Amino acid sequence: MAGLRMAMGIVSAGTILGVAELVSVPVGGSSAPLDAFGSAVVDNTPQDLREWVIGTFGTNDKLLLFAVMIAVAVGVAAAAGALERRSRPLGSALFVVFGVAGVLAACTRAHATWTSALPTLIGCVCGLVALRFLVRRAESEAVTETDSAAPESARIPRRRFLGGLVAVGTLAVATGAAGRLLAARARDVSGNRAAVRLPVPAEPAAPVPAAVEAVVPGPPPFVTPNSAFYRVDTALTVPQLSTDDWRLRIHGMVDREITLTYADLAARRPIERVLTMTCVSNPVGGNLIGTARWLGYRVADLLAEAGVRPGADMVLSTSIDDFTAGTPLSALTDGRDAMLAIGMNGEPLPIPHGFPARLVVPGLYGYLSATKWVIDLEVTRFDRARGYWVRRGWAVTAPIKTEARIDTPKSAAALAAGPVAVAGIAWAQRRGVTAVEIQIDDGDWKPAQLSQEYSIDTWRQWVYRWDATPGKHTIRARATDATGAVQTAETRDTVPDGASGYPSISVRVG
């Protein structure tokens, strides 16, 4: 009977989640239990664990979280079913605890109202009814886990019960699937995005010459395709915000508060720039970095319209999902191409990358500057406000470090003796890369050949021609920026202001 009881718990929990998904459609937001719990987990995950997950699973971290939540839910549901008895509803009590936690998670999200509790509450009521119904039916009909040798009279109640269990489970799955589908359709802004026509830039980006590309295979293309651009953010489900609903409020330490609509941007001067962005969670030699052609409006011009008051030194940007980033005011007004971006590589921003508008600020890691789905800019001070990750122990300021990466050959590769091209990329935004050097084993550092520099705000490709000799070898790389600073050998984790150390690979030459 234990297996049947666990199945009853799982089916009843499925009823909770399925009904909650359906009820969340009109309620909106992150009110469904999985979304609410997942967002709470993202907000409260210890830094070391979070960085390990991102370093191991990259942009699949959200998929992993959903898988873990489903596994935990199945385990809790099975335990609830095993504990539930007609006269001793311990499993029901476990569901009530789950419901209370779900309500708290949903009601503490950004922009939550009392209605955010409804999906979990209604789902829990339906799940409790399902569990009590199944338990009563199983006990009243004396259902047991009979074997094939049992008489027909003993197998009939079990078949009848299993039929009911399958029916309830099927209904739960169908309800949950319908809820997800309806929610996706109701909130989807892909049609709105497809109708956007980007303005012609008043200041187009300089053409990208062929000489910026390495002449060997291995390094990424100089401009990263949108589909390959990294995505790291705190949004468990991608926010859907249309151009009709988008507003940007600029307020705080300003002479006049202004609110811009998407249509208002048409009266302003768009610029286009090719810029490299880097995530602070990028490990040494990692791939959380990309270069794109961005179209947008200078943040400095927008701030000038509002009139920044003396004493301000930070702009706190907020996204539609309540993520915040504190950017030094100087980084937005010192002449660099900090922009409110609306286009990426010739098309409107992809929805996962911030449609309809996001911030792009050269030289700073994204957690301080790259707010997606941005709706609010508050001009303030560092001693009055802190961004999302700074509140969790990350550095208040974090200029991007001088780094190199080895893209080819891959670590553990088996190579033939003779000429081998070692190649990769290097970056030092706002300073530019002036040299890359390679070390084979513990030998001297040798200069690599650099591709042409596009700008100090983009990565630079490099190649080193190595005459490989038989044996096992370790290859390291380091970059030097235009200030003369050489990439440090000190190995540090990503917390609190970015990883450091030399990228290193091991190869075997036959």
Side-chain angles (χ1 to χ4, degrees), residues 313-316 326 378 380-387 390-391 396:
D313 61 9
M314 187 258 270
V315 173
L316 187 73
E378 179 186 3
T380 182
R381 293 181 52 84
F382 280 108
D383 57 8
R384 297 179 185 174
R386 293 185 298 168
V390 173
R391 295 197 305 270
V396 174

Side-chain angles (χ1 to χ4, degrees), residues 251-293:
H251 62 109
M253 297 177 66
V254 296
D255 295 330
R256 53 202 160 271
E257 179 177 321
I258 62 175
T259 299
L260 299 174
T261 67
Y262 198 83
D264 290 335
L265 297 177
R268 286 153 180 84
R269 182 180 176 85
I271 65 170
E272 183 185 55
R273 295 292 184 268
V274 178
L275 303 170
T276 296
M277 295 183 63
T278 311
C279 180
V280 73
S281 295
N282 196 35
V284 173
N287 60 3
L288 300 180
I289 182 172
T291 298
R293 185 184 298 270

